[in-house]
Amino acid sequence: MSTIQQQLPADFHPQSRVWIYQSNRPFGEQETKEINEQLHQFTAQWLSHGDKVKGWGALFFNQVIVILADESQAGVSGCSTDSSVRIIKSLEQQYDVNLFDRLLLGFLVDGKVQLLPMVQLPYALEKGKVTMDTLYLNNTVQTKAELETRWLVPLGESWLKTRLAKVS
């Protein structure tokens, strides 16, 4: 069992929806505690059309927020999705970070997230800063099952492989 699987709630359906927000910087120890507490408070009172959403959220690698919603009992409406985005925007302001930059690629190096602008990926590969075996944070995963099996993948097995083939 991967460490990711061990950190996720076991009682959530494999098709639970996932939202991933990668920060442009790591959070400190105190910030991490505060963010995890705020995520816990948010998911404990998360509602969709008055029904309780079975939600969960946590910070991974001190830099990546993961939110889950198990829709096996109650679906997540547009309004409840908006409320999750509001908490993320609030965290952005509170900690002066960017959590919505989709052009910043995350790689896991020695247990820490290393960020790289997408346009610099070919150069980083050429210089050996990353390789096709470097773990890439595939933040496009949409379900808990995908999060467990396809979130941390070698760069050469990610969707970026086809983009890199066009460059080389």
Side-chain angles (χ1 to χ4, degrees):
M1 184 184 260
S2 77
T3 55
I4 298 299
Q5 286 173 307
Q6 292 168 344
Q7 293 176 357
L8 297 174
D11 63 335
F12 274 55
H13 192 277
Q15 293 305 304
S16 295
R17 285 183 49 194
V18 171
W19 293 269
I20 299 174
Y21 302 93
Q22 176 178 279
S23 172
N24 61 322
R25 70 163 175 86
F27 294 102
E29 190 176 328
Q30 185 61 37
E31 290 174 319
T32 296
K33 283 173 57 177
E34 292 168 5
I35 289 167
N36 279 325
E37 180 57 34
Q38 288 183 55
L39 292 170
H40 174 74
Q41 287 175 10
F42 167 74
T43 56
Q45 56 192 1
W46 198 4
L47 298 176
S48 176
H49 297 296
D51 293 325
K52 172 97 178 79
V53 173
K54 183 178 177 183
W56 179 89
L59 189 61
F60 284 79
F61 310 114
N62 296 327
Q63 197 160 349
V64 184
I65 295 171
V66 174
I67 297 177
L68 294 177
D70 185 336
E71 296 183 294
S72 57
Q73 276 107 40
V76 175
S77 66
C79 293
S80 53
T81 300
D82 290 348
S83 68
S84 71
V85 170
R86 276 195 298 279
I87 182 82
I88 298 301
K89 286 185 182 277
S90 167
L91 292 170
E92 268 191 326
Q93 290 179 339
Q94 189 176 348
Y95 296 101
D96 192 25
V97 294
N98 184 338
L99 293 164
F100 290 94
D101 187 348
R102 301 293 184 214
L103 296 180
L104 213 47
L105 305 175
F107 295 91
L108 200 57
V109 180
D110 297 327
K112 291 187 166 83
V113 175
Q114 301 291 319
L115 300 177
L116 184 66
M118 191 178 298
V119 295
Q120 291 181 10
L121 183 57
Y123 177 81
L125 272 166
E126 180 185 315
K127 297 297 181 193
K129 302 285 186 203
V130 294
T131 69
M132 289 304 211
D133 293 325
T134 303
L135 286 181
Y136 166 66
L137 278 72
N138 177 19
N139 295 334
T140 64
V141 298
Q142 297 182 359
T143 66
K144 180 183 179 222
E146 287 180 346
L147 184 67
E148 292 171 340
T149 59
R150 295 188 35 231
W151 182 37
L152 302 177
V153 293
L155 175 60
E157 295 176 23
S158 75
W159 65 272
L160 286 165
K161 179 176 63 174
T162 55
R163 180 165 282 204
L164 291 169
K166 293 175 188 168
V167 174
S168 53

